[in-house]
Amino acid sequence: LQSIYHDETRQIKKRLFDIAFSSAALLCLSPVFLIVSLLIKVKSPNGPIFFGHQRIGKDGKFFRVYKFRTMVPDAEKRLKELLDKDEETRKEFE
C-alpha cells in the first residue's frame, strides 16, 4: 500500500480542494463576518475587532492565529496581573 503522504498527486488535489472550499466558504460567510465585526465595534468601540496570538503548530513551529475578540480589550494584561498576585490561580493556570 502506498501512503497518501507520499502520493504527490493526492496531496496536490487535496491542497486545491482545501483552497477552493476555503475560498468559497469565506465568500459565503463574509456578510456574517461583517455583521459580527460591526457588533463587536458597537459593543466595545475602543477595542480591536480581532485578537491575535501565537500557537504551536507542526514540527513545533509557531504561527499566528486571529479570531474575533470575545473578551475585554485588556484581557492579557488583566490575566498577567491576576497570575502575579494569586499563586494558587497561577499554578492552576500553568
Side-chain angles (χ1 to χ4, degrees), residues 51-55 63-67:
F51 172 75
H53 63 108
Q54 287 191 331
R55 293 202 178 165
F63 65 99
R64 193 129 183 100
V65 175
Y66 293 96
K67 62 181 185 173

Side-chain angles (χ1 to χ4, degrees), residues 51 71-85:
F51 172 75
M71 62 285 210
V72 293
D74 62 344
E76 290 180 311
K77 179 183 170 199
R78 290 184 188 193
L79 175 62
K80 184 182 179 329
E81 290 172 356
L82 175 64
L83 297 177
D84 286 345
K85 68 181 177 182

Side-chain angles (χ1 to χ4, degrees), residues 25-51:
L26 282 172
L27 185 63
C28 292
L29 292 172
S30 60
V32 175
F33 295 157
L34 180 62
I35 291 168
V36 169
S37 298
L38 291 172
L39 290 172
I40 291 171
K41 207 55 174 167
V42 166
K43 179 81 174 167
S44 179
N46 296 326
I49 294 171
F50 297 102
F51 172 75

